[in-house]
Amino acid sequence: MTTTGTATAPGGPGGAHRPLEVPGRPASLPPGARVVLKVGSSSLTRADGGLDLNRIDILAGLIARMRQRGHDVVLVSSGAVAAGMVPLGMEDRPTELRLLQAAASVGQGNLVARWQTAMSAYGVVTAQVLLTVQDVAVRSHYRTVRATFDALLSLGAVPVVNENDAVATTEFSLGDNDHLAALVSHLVTADVLVLFTDVDGLWTARPGTPGAVPVRHVVGSGQLASVDVSARGSALGTGGMRSKAQAATIACASGTATIVAAANDAARLLGETTIPQDLGTWFEPTGPHRPSRRLWMAYASIPEGRVVIDAGAARAVTVGKKSLLLPGVTAVAGDFESGSVVEVVGPQGPVARGICRYSAAELEEVIEARAHRRPGPDHVAPVVHRDDLAELPRTAG
């Protein structure tokens, strides 16, 4: 990790300054890069809770210019609940689920209409895409969503994406929109994910804390141990810096570089071909783009159970890139059948998801026989074959 605490570097006579340069950090987006932009509620609303139409217009203009430079763009836009609060006379973001859904129902139409109006002024066609857990958790639905995105982008449209909050529940939700944006990055095989927020990127501690400096370049999948990501989101938002660090880690593990930056800096960040080095935090990809099947298993599927493994099996799966074999399984949780997606959990936590070739009952039978030192069932197939295994990145906690 490279950290930098100042926006400029001294140089030249008379205390002149030269632009900051961060070794290894890219100075521009890759030519023709496919970009996912995520804008949070706090960046799209005014102090009174209404939509900030000026901010929407600025972003619409930037998206139009990016498309002119050859970039496909997908917009993940929060703000449905915030956009519905004022028409419904709500002064504070509700906490009750039915009121959140009511606000989202009213606000989503207002939100997408504003985006359509703003982008049409620049000749850009928009398409509303509302996603639910089922749309991504079911493999056949996941493929359909991918095909829809591919068709929209090939036709030159800009998808405007949000979770369908009007029908989402606490138990069945895609999570905050930072996680949704990382998932959309996988769906469209994005080259770069941009997470706009109200803070200038990732800092070693909350901005304003003595000694806190901005982190301009993150290389590798480390645990960001020296960075405090505990700050919560705004009153209108649901995320915070932790969720952005986690989303960046997830996206980077599958080949998508990530930028976390202040929405106020959007014009400087994306308005030209170069990216100022003194803005935001650039996270380098830590892995290659993966096949859609493994992306689905790792990030979109809903595991039907857990397979607990020992330290040796965890090393074999993650370091050795091996299949998961029966001797490494120590416990099973859940009632699942053969062919189900399960979470593979090592001593340090979840390490992978995969398609299990045994039912929970079969695995429990093997574990019980082992505990009583008696011959178990004659099973030789891997519990999860390497071809059916998707490793999980360690995310910032």
Side-chain angles (χ1 to χ4, degrees):
M1 175 190 300
T2 300
T3 62
T4 303
T6 57
T8 57
H17 288 74
R18 56 181 171 80
L20 174 72
E21 294 182 4
V22 179
R25 172 171 160 162
S28 63
L29 296 177
R34 179 169 288 183
V35 182
V36 173
L37 303 180
K38 182 266 177 178
V39 190
S41 296
S42 62
S43 300
L44 289 177
T45 51
R46 305 186 306 264
D48 63 1
L51 286 175
D52 187 339
L53 303 186
N54 185 57
R55 173 64 55 77
I56 289 176
D57 184 65
I58 290 172
L59 290 170
L62 289 172
I63 290 170
R65 287 159 67 181
M66 291 176 68
R67 291 184 68 255
Q68 290 171 356
R69 298 199 300 267
H71 299 294
D72 287 337
V73 181
V74 178
L75 174 65
V76 177
S77 175
S78 301
V81 172
M85 286 169 53
V86 173
L88 291 175
M90 297 178 177
E91 295 183 359
D92 300 309
R93 182 184 175 91
T95 57
E96 191 176 345
L97 178 60
R98 66 185 184 90
L99 296 179
L100 282 169
Q101 291 172 324
S105 298
V106 172
Q108 182 60 43
N110 293 339
L111 179 65
V112 75
R114 294 299 186 183
W115 281 118
Q116 288 174 335
T117 299
M119 290 202 208
S120 64
Y122 298 95
V124 176
V125 175
T126 59
Q128 178 176 248
V129 180
L130 296 178
L131 297 177
T132 67
V133 168
Q134 287 288 356
D135 293 326
V136 294
V138 178
R139 175 64 179 153
S140 59
H141 292 199
Y142 183 89
R143 290 197 300 266
T144 300
V145 172
R146 279 180 63 92
T148 299
F149 275 118
D150 286 344
L152 288 170
L153 292 171
S154 68
L155 292 169
V158 173
V160 180
V161 186
N162 200 356
E163 182 169 8
N164 193 348
D165 292 321
V167 297
T169 65
T170 303
E171 295 81 9
F172 298 100
S173 170
L174 291 167
D176 61 63
N177 273 6
D178 295 320
H179 183 267
L180 174 61
L183 181 58
V184 169
S185 296
H186 298 151
L187 281 163
V188 303
T189 318
D191 299 294
V192 180
L193 166 64
V194 181
L195 300 173
F196 281 127
T197 181
D198 50 6
V199 179
D200 178 27
L202 192 68
W203 286 58
T204 55
R206 192 182 186 95
T209 302
V213 294
V215 180
R216 296 303 182 199
H217 193 204
V218 176
V219 180
S221 59
Q223 299 307 299
L224 301 176
S226 63
V227 177
D228 178 9
V229 294
S230 61
R232 298 179 58 86
S234 70
L236 287 171
T238 58
M241 197 50 67
R242 175 183 282 112
S243 72
K244 288 165 182 59
Q246 290 174 339
T249 302
I250 291 170
C252 289
S254 297
T256 300
T258 303
I259 305 171
V260 178
N264 287 339
D265 292 328
R268 285 188 62 207
L269 190 74
L270 300 175
E272 304 297 338
T273 56
T274 58
I275 299 177
Q277 304 266 298
D278 62 334
L279 297 183
T281 303
W282 178 286
F283 293 78
E284 292 285 351
T286 57
H289 285 304
R290 292 197 274 178
S292 64
R293 183 167 174 270
R294 283 189 169 171
L295 288 177
W296 170 76
M297 281 192 292
Y299 305 112
S301 64
I302 298 179
E304 296 185 40
R306 283 186 159 198
V307 174
V308 182
I309 61 177
D310 59 28
R315 283 195 301 273
V317 167
T318 58
V319 179
K321 310 301 181 185
K322 304 293 186 181
S323 299
L324 174 59
L325 304 179
L326 273 170
V329 177
T330 60
V332 178
D335 182 14
F336 53 87
E337 297 298 324
S338 173
S340 299
V341 175
V342 298
E343 191 168 54
V344 180
V345 183
Q348 303 302 316
V351 297
R353 288 182 185 175
I355 298 176
C356 189
R357 299 193 174 189
Y358 295 88
S359 67
E362 290 172 323
L363 292 176
E364 287 171 345
E365 188 177 1
V366 171
I367 293 170
E368 183 178 358
R370 187 191 304 157
H372 291 86
R373 299 180 181 277
R374 65 171 187 261
D378 187 17
H379 296 312
V380 294
V383 177
V384 181
H385 192 276
R386 186 68 203 172
D387 293 342
D388 296 326
L389 194 69
E391 290 183 43
L392 300 174
R394 295 297 299 273
T395 59

